[in-house]
Amino acid sequence: MLKKVLLFSVIFSFFQVAWADGLIKNIKIQGNQRIESETVLSYLPLKVGDALDQSKLDQCLKELFATGYFIDVKVHQNGQTLVIEVEENPIINRVVFEGNNKLKDDIITQEVRLRPREVLSRTRIQEAQQRILEIYRRMGRFGAKVDPKIIKLPENRVDLVFEINEGAVTYIRAIQFVGNKRFSDKKLEEQLLTKRARWYRFFAVDDVYDPDRFIGDQQSLRKFYNDNGYADFRILSAVAELSPDQKDFYLTFTVEEGKLYHFGKVDIVSHIPSVKAESLRSEIAFAEKDVFSGRLIEKSVNAITHAAGTQGFAFVSIEPKVVKNPETKLVDITFEIKEGPRVYIEKIVFVGNDRTHDDVIRRELMVHEGDAYNAAKIKQSEMNLKELQYFKTVSVETEQGSAPDQAQLVVKVEEQSTGELGLAIGYSTLDGPLANVKIVERNFRGKGQVVHADFTVAKKRQDFDIGIIEPYFLGRNLQAIADIFSVRSTRFNAYHQITKGLNLGLGYRLSDYWTQGWNYGLKHDQINHISVNASPIIRQQAGNTIASSLTHTISYDRRDSRAMPTAGYILSLSNTYAGLGGSVNYLRNDVNANWYYSPLEEVVLGVKGSLGGIERVHKTIRVTDSVMLGADSLRGFEYGGLGPRDMSTGDPLGGTRYWTTTAEVMFPVGLPTEFGIRGAVFTDAGSVWRPGKSNSAVLDKKTMRQSVGIGIAWTSPFGPLRIDYALPIRKQKFDKSQRVLIGFATRF
């Protein structure tokens, strides 16, 4: 009897303990309308039979709130039943934006990531609100405000309305520098991507505050000082301060320039026996005592890497060891050549080129699948892609391949518009008032082809030119050109000229600096409206002619920039033979040389020279094929204003021998750089003589003519505009001068 009592007591005690610990026999879900109870149960960290304590109840709350489906959750125990009461978040019926005039709804919709029939939560509303504000801040509207409103509908649905007050654009009102002694505020400000607001910058977007651009500005300052010898340069602080009315930003850079350093000892050390350091020394872009420059160090590393690669050493690593001596202000540089890891490129992947074909990108790369990994070539490949101007951003990233010695290159690009439409009006003293329409597509059909159409209507000249340029003809590094043109000119009172024709060209690189090109031209000339008082030589050449010609050009280019050169030179030689059929025969040879030098910052000296001649082949050289100097080719004289001239009528006849020279200094005029206005002083000299057909009634002197002058050049949004005033100081009595030259041309 005692044993039965003891056994019953033990069993009773066990159930009592189990009841006290709260073993769950049932879980009940209440309040759910759309979400099934089984779905709610799947999120719980508890199940029937588990013991329940406070920590597990807290965990239930966290897990259910984390789903984002519920606006409120309550958990309590009713006996051995766990009761979970939920209040579901509403469903989005629609998302509406009000007050957004500067941004379209679809742009904001893409950013907020809220769609109809999705579950709405406070967290998602706050995230969407911050995203909208971020968009406006990147537009420079830091005073923008976004107020979300919820309109409740039946069946637990809601309309979400974002009331937007866009606010005014927050411009950069002032940029200040503290601590700079070597460089002026103006010079430092030119290094920044951010520009201060000016009345004339109505098309600009870089005069509003952008945090990312502000960080980039700091990097630009560091690079500028480092490239100019200040190896200890530091930015002590960079502050972007918003005015109390939230309308303006004030940027302040506090800098510590440090001392000016020069290069000390420069050496190359090779840790690879087969790589001779002395053979690579000529690749170093600087010498001892030169001003220290991080850019020159980087340039030298790339040059040494490239030179070693061309010698067959693909797996090299160039490490510049920099040792600064603050006492002597010298920086010793040792380029250590080490054997790099033997890694090969397994695969190249392209990302983001939705329009541009893969092969257009691939042909700009200096590495291909199976090549040895070469950091210098990869960096140059990235630069090549940027220079195409097809993409907003370009990055080449390296990822691990299928094996330790394999790498995968990921080329990421962001496409940008490559089409241009230009409309311009202007005035030229040569052709009178003019209007121009230009259409250019630089990446036609995503194949990298350039298609252009150019139409100009002026008082004395009307022309059009339509053509296409294929940069990689037949899949090779050959540039093919084809265009058709028509020109109607009434520049001379003695006759009118109409020329129609086509050009087919092929160009290619012989090396880094040498290029060669061939061009076939076929044109039809018509000389009509001959004045009764015109020269007999001109009257004899009236009518129609066909010229079929082949031109060969070879050039050597060492300029630092093709668009705005400041250093270097270019030499070229061209030969044209007309007579491959048709009714015109001649041989023309021209030599040109341009040299540029910058003695002072932003001051460029340019010296140009040309000479040439046209040789008769069987037939007389026509006036329209002769060389005419004047206007922009020799300022201070009319077009055709110097050279052979009919003694009785005064009509210009052109010459078959010529030479010209120009010395010009371009300099800033004190206006902001973004104006694109520069001043110039120049002297032109030259001569043209020996007409194609001559007689005793022709005035012909081959003496030098010369002029001096000043000018203003403006790189306007519509095209280059140039105004020159030139005074002839050496001329013949029969020459015709023109002191003012206004030139307007559309850029192409």
Side-chain angles (χ1 to χ4, degrees):
M1 185 66 180
L2 181 60
K3 290 182 179 181
K4 291 182 179 180
V5 173
L6 289 174
L7 179 60
F8 178 81
S9 298
V10 171
I11 294 173
F12 179 81
S13 299
F14 172 81
F15 282 106
Q16 191 176 30
V17 171
W19 180 262
D21 289 344
L23 288 178
I24 302 172
K25 285 191 173 182
N26 186 28
I27 300 178
K28 186 177 182 180
I29 310 298
Q30 295 180 348
N32 54 315
Q33 299 176 17
R34 301 183 313 273
I35 303 173
E36 299 291 338
S37 298
E38 290 76 9
T39 303
V40 179
L41 290 171
S42 68
Y43 291 113
L44 294 177
L46 290 171
K47 60 181 180 298
V48 174
D50 289 349
L52 184 64
D53 56 28
Q54 189 60 44
S55 63
K56 290 185 178 181
L57 287 176
D58 294 340
Q59 187 64 28
C60 285
L61 291 173
K62 291 179 181 179
E63 294 291 340
L64 291 176
F65 275 117
T67 63
Y69 293 147
F70 309 108
I71 192 172
D72 192 17
V73 178
K74 296 178 181 178
V75 180
H76 62 271
Q77 184 179 350
N78 184 6
Q80 289 183 295
T81 299
L82 181 64
V83 180
I84 299 177
E85 297 181 8
V86 298
E87 182 182 349
E88 295 177 345
N89 275 317
I91 293 295
I92 300 174
N93 179 57
R94 61 175 181 151
V95 181
V96 180
F97 307 101
E98 296 179 353
N100 53 307
N101 298 318
K102 302 298 181 182
L103 283 176
K104 294 182 179 180
D105 286 3
D106 55 349
I107 296 177
I108 304 178
T109 300
Q110 292 176 3
E111 289 293 329
V112 299
R113 301 175 186 174
L114 291 174
R115 303 290 185 271
R117 295 182 297 279
E118 291 182 346
V119 176
L120 182 65
S121 66
R122 292 191 184 96
T123 301
R124 299 192 68 189
I125 294 174
Q126 293 171 356
E127 290 176 351
Q129 183 182 24
Q130 290 303 314
R131 285 181 181 274
I132 297 173
L133 288 173
E134 182 62 27
I135 299 174
Y136 278 102
R137 284 170 181 165
R138 293 196 176 279
M139 295 174 59
R141 297 178 179 271
F142 281 79
K145 296 180 180 179
V146 178
D147 188 14
K149 301 288 186 181
I150 296 176
I151 300 176
K152 294 184 178 181
L153 302 174
E155 300 177 358
N156 201 25
R157 295 177 302 118
V158 296
D159 284 345
L160 179 59
V161 180
F162 289 95
E163 296 181 353
I164 301 173
N165 181 355
E166 295 180 318
V169 175
T170 310
Y171 289 104
I172 305 297
R173 192 57 56 192
I175 301 176
Q176 299 177 338
F177 298 90
V178 179
N180 55 309
K181 299 177 181 178
R182 174 61 180 85
F183 297 102
S184 66
D185 288 7
K186 178 183 177 182
K187 184 62 181 177
L188 296 183
E189 193 169 333
E190 290 176 356
Q191 312 308 314
L192 306 182
L193 299 173
T194 301
K195 306 298 180 184
R196 72 172 71 194
R198 301 289 193 185
W199 64 268
Y200 52 81
R201 309 191 79 251
F202 38 83
F203 290 127
V205 295
D206 50 8
D207 55 359
V208 297
Y209 178 71
D210 185 327
D212 293 337
R213 190 186 298 135
F214 186 51
I215 294 173
D217 289 335
Q218 298 172 49
Q219 295 297 333
S220 297
L221 284 176
R222 292 187 184 96
K223 186 178 186 306
F224 173 74
Y225 269 97
N226 193 256
D227 289 345
N228 285 276
Y230 292 86
D232 293 333
F233 173 79
R234 293 191 305 155
I235 297 179
L236 301 180
S237 67
V239 179
E241 186 177 7
L242 183 63
S243 63
D245 58 5
Q246 295 186 330
K247 292 183 178 180
D248 299 300
F249 260 102
Y250 297 86
L251 308 185
T252 304
F253 298 90
T254 303
V255 303
E256 183 180 286
E257 294 180 324
K259 300 296 183 180
L260 179 65
Y261 281 80
H262 290 75
F263 285 111
K265 295 180 180 179
V266 183
D267 197 9
I268 298 181
V269 176
S270 176
H271 297 284
I272 306 175
S274 55
V275 178
K276 304 302 180 184
E278 290 302 320
S279 65
L280 301 173
R281 184 174 291 276
S282 60
E283 303 299 330
I284 299 178
F286 55 88
E288 294 184 23
K289 306 303 181 182
D290 287 351
V291 175
F292 174 80
S293 172
R295 179 181 59 83
L296 292 179
I297 295 175
E298 183 178 357
K299 182 178 179 181
S300 300
V301 169
N302 292 336
I304 295 172
T305 303
H306 178 72
T310 58
Q311 294 179 19
F313 305 106
F315 303 102
V316 295
S317 174
I318 313 299
E319 296 182 8
K321 300 294 184 181
V322 180
V323 179
K324 292 189 297 183
N325 190 329
E327 296 181 358
T328 61
K329 303 300 182 293
L330 296 176
V331 180
D332 296 336
I333 305 292
T334 301
F335 294 96
E336 293 190 357
I337 304 176
K338 299 180 180 180
E339 187 167 3
R342 293 183 175 271
V343 178
Y344 296 89
I345 298 174
E346 179 183 24
K347 188 177 181 181
I348 301 177
V349 180
F350 304 101
V351 178
N353 55 315
D354 300 325
R355 177 167 173 260
T356 305
H357 293 203
D358 285 2
D359 61 321
V360 173
I361 300 177
R362 187 180 296 276
R363 67 196 185 193
E364 299 298 330
L365 303 181
M366 299 182 68
V367 292
H368 305 282
E369 282 92 345
D371 288 354
Y373 184 88
N374 187 308
K377 288 185 177 181
I378 292 173
K379 187 171 184 179
Q380 184 59 48
S381 300
E382 186 173 295
M383 291 300 299
N384 292 345
L385 290 173
K386 290 179 179 178
E387 290 177 359
L388 289 176
Q389 297 184 350
Y390 299 165
F391 313 109
K392 288 182 181 179
T393 59
V394 177
S395 65
V396 181
E397 301 176 359
T398 303
E399 297 181 356
Q400 178 64 52
S402 60
D405 63 344
Q406 300 291 324
Q408 178 174 281
L409 294 185
V410 181
V411 182
K412 296 181 179 180
V413 299
E414 182 182 354
E415 304 255 23
Q416 68 177 359
S417 174
T418 55
E420 297 177 11
L421 171 63
L423 304 173
I425 58 173
Y427 181 83
S428 167
T429 49
L430 188 59
D431 296 320
L434 62 83
N436 174 269
V437 178
K438 179 186 67 175
I439 303 172
V440 181
E441 170 53 60
R442 293 179 286 106
N443 188 15
F444 184 58
R445 297 185 300 165
K447 293 185 176 182
Q449 299 166 334
V450 179
V451 177
H452 64 88
D454 208 340
F455 304 88
T456 301
V457 177
K459 182 178 180 181
K460 296 183 179 181
R461 183 181 176 92
Q462 302 84 45
D463 62 71
F464 77 82
D465 187 348
I466 301 174
I468 183 171
I469 301 174
E470 169 56 68
Y472 279 80
F473 185 58
L474 299 177
R476 298 179 178 274
N477 194 12
L478 298 172
Q479 185 182 74
I481 300 172
D483 68 349
I484 59 174
F485 61 89
S486 174
V487 180
R488 178 184 178 89
S489 175
T490 59
R491 286 177 174 175
F492 298 114
N493 296 326
Y495 64 91
H496 294 177
Q497 180 180 358
I498 300 175
T499 303
K500 300 177 181 179
L502 63 86
N503 287 311
L504 301 173
L506 194 67
Y508 46 87
R509 282 190 173 275
L510 298 173
S511 67
D512 289 343
Y513 306 113
W514 286 99
T515 58
Q516 189 172 30
W518 302 85
N519 184 85
Y520 172 75
L522 180 65
K523 66 178 182 178
H524 173 270
D525 271 339
Q526 181 182 7
I527 305 299
N528 57 22
H529 292 83
I530 306 295
S531 171
V532 295
N533 298 320
S535 168
I537 296 175
I538 295 176
R539 290 201 298 270
Q540 292 172 7
Q541 298 178 8
N544 299 323
T545 57
I546 294 178
S548 175
S549 62
L550 180 66
T551 300
H552 163 261
T553 303
I554 187 168
S555 63
Y556 182 71
D557 192 348
R558 294 301 301 267
R559 294 172 297 176
D560 61 343
S561 170
R562 294 183 180 181
M564 297 288 289
T566 61
Y569 59 90
I570 179 173
L571 308 172
S572 66
L573 167 67
S574 65
N575 318 98
T576 300
Y577 174 70
L580 303 175
S583 54
V584 176
N585 293 82
Y586 63 81
L587 174 64
R588 175 168 178 167
N589 303 293
D590 299 272
V591 177
N592 296 278
N594 297 353
W595 176 77
Y596 303 92
Y597 173 67
S598 182
L600 298 172
E601 191 174 343
E602 297 183 5
V603 176
V604 179
L605 168 65
V607 178
K608 307 175 184 179
S610 62
L611 61 91
I614 306 175
E615 300 296 335
R616 172 180 173 178
V617 180
H618 305 306
K619 298 181 180 181
T620 301
I621 299 173
R622 301 180 307 159
V623 172
T624 53
D625 292 324
S626 300
V627 178
M628 296 282 185
L629 293 185
D632 53 354
S633 60
L634 208 163
R635 288 163 290 190
F637 298 85
E638 286 185 1
Y639 179 72
L642 69 153
R645 188 177 300 277
D646 189 292
M647 185 182 299
S648 58
T649 65
D651 293 329
L653 304 176
T656 60
R657 301 288 188 274
Y658 80 96
W659 66 269
T660 63
T661 61
T662 295
E664 181 173 77
V665 177
M666 300 288 291
F667 53 86
V669 294
L671 294 174
T673 306
E674 57 262 38
F675 261 43
I677 297 179
R678 297 187 298 166
V681 294
F682 60 85
T683 178
D684 290 351
S687 182
V688 58
W689 67 97
R690 191 186 293 180
K693 184 175 182 180
S694 182
N695 56 42
S696 59
V698 174
L699 297 171
D700 185 18
K701 298 284 187 179
K702 71 175 189 177
T703 55
M704 181 180 76
R705 279 77 156 182
Q706 186 179 8
S707 65
V708 295
I710 58 175
I712 291 290
W714 178 30
T715 307
S716 75
F718 310 104
L721 175 65
R722 178 79 185 239
I723 302 176
D724 290 314
Y725 178 84
L727 179 66
I729 57 176
R730 290 189 182 183
K731 56 177 290 191
Q732 294 297 313
K733 291 182 179 180
F734 56 84
D735 292 340
K736 295 187 177 181
S737 60
Q738 177 182 290
R739 296 191 178 186
V740 178
L741 177 66
I742 301 175
F744 183 92
T746 55
R747 286 174 294 184
F748 179 71

